[in-house]
Amino acid sequence: MPGIDECLLEAMGLPGARGAWLVDWTSGLALGSAGESPVGDHETTAAETAELARAAAEFESPPGGTVPEAAPVEDLILTTRTGYHLLRFVETAFDSSVFLHLWLDRDAGNLALARIRLGDLAERLVLG
């Protein structure tokens, strides 16, 4: 079972991968990063994508604003003219608020393969 660094390096091995992060969506902090950043700064990328993850989790929350134990959102896909951003929520034994973020080049990346592999990484990731 991979830790954070191993997980991100494995994600960077996917075709077209340009950058990968593990992000805490409540604080917006990058717990780990690899590769490039679309804005030149890994912390800014983490904070911006955390806003998207938080909005999705809160949108799918039941009345009262709490996120259910098993979040109904598995992942988010954002497409741009030059790439794809795949955010995969990580379920853990503790109250998890983290997700994996993979940035793929649109021409070289395979979104379907990346989604499958990122889901597998999220299941195997060891936090702690």
Side-chain angles (χ1 to χ4, degrees):
M1 294 193 161
I4 295 171
D5 291 338
E6 294 86 4
C7 178
L8 296 175
L9 287 175
E10 194 171 330
M12 288 300 297
L14 290 167
R18 299 200 53 198
W21 298 262
L22 180 68
V23 179
D24 179 331
W25 57 266
T26 56
S27 67
L29 294 176
L31 304 176
S33 62
E36 304 172 53
S37 167
V39 296
D41 176 14
H42 289 286
E43 289 303 323
T44 301
T45 299
E48 289 175 352
T49 56
E51 290 293 325
L52 289 173
R54 193 170 25 255
E58 290 172 357
F59 179 75
E60 290 293 328
S61 298
T66 60
V67 178
E69 287 182 29
V73 178
E74 285 184 333
D75 53 35
L76 298 173
I77 299 170
L78 175 71
T79 60
T80 66
R81 293 179 193 267
T82 60
Y84 302 111
H85 294 267
L86 179 57
L87 282 62
R88 178 67 182 215
F89 290 86
V90 178
E91 292 186 31
T92 62
F94 58 92
D95 186 22
S96 176
S97 61
V98 297
F99 64 91
L100 287 166
H101 172 197
L102 179 65
W103 175 33
L104 292 171
D105 180 85
R106 191 170 184 138
D107 293 330
N110 181 327
L111 185 57
L113 175 65
R115 186 171 182 265
I116 291 168
R117 293 271 177 85
L118 207 58
D120 179 57
L121 283 172
E123 287 179 11
R124 294 186 297 122
L125 177 63
V126 175
L127 298 173

